[in-house]
């Protein structure tokens, strides 16, 4: 990281954005699941699973980007 002046700052910004997205998504997820469960339990379960998978997808894509750009 010493040879990249903006590398540390970029990592902190990315981590903050990912954390903020998880925080907002996690805050609204129970309300969304409860609302959707009125119509279909499977749909509510699907939204919960999609949220958890989205977390791993974001982290996987970030790791892939870093490997591709040699960071």
């Amino acid at each position: 990281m010493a040879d990249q002046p903006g590398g540390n700052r970029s990592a902190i910004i990315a981590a903050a954005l990912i954390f903020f997205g998880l925080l907002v998504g996690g805050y609204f997820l129970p309300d969304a699941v409860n609302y959707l469960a009125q119509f279909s339990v499977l749909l509510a379960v699907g939204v919960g699973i999609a949220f958890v998978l989205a977390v791993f997808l974001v982290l996987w894509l970030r790791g892939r980007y870093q490997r591709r750009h040699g960071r």
Side-chain angles (χ1 to χ4, degrees), residues 2-3 7 11 16 18-19 22-25 27-28 30 34-36 43 61-62 66 71:
D3 58 345
I18 291 170
F19 181 72
L22 289 172
L23 194 66
V24 170
Y27 181 78
F28 289 112
N34 284 332
Y35 177 75
L36 291 173
L43 182 61
L61 287 174
R62 174 131 173 90
Q66 287 179 335
R71 294 182 183 166

Side-chain angles (χ1 to χ4, degrees), residues 13-55:
I13 291 171
L17 288 175
I18 291 170
F19 181 72
F20 182 73
L22 289 172
L23 194 66
V24 170
Y27 181 78
F28 289 112
L29 184 65
D31 292 334
V33 167
N34 284 332
Y35 177 75
L36 291 173
Q38 296 174 359
F39 304 107
S40 170
V41 175
L42 292 176
L43 182 61
V45 170
V47 167
I49 291 172
F51 177 77
V52 172
L53 290 178
V55 171

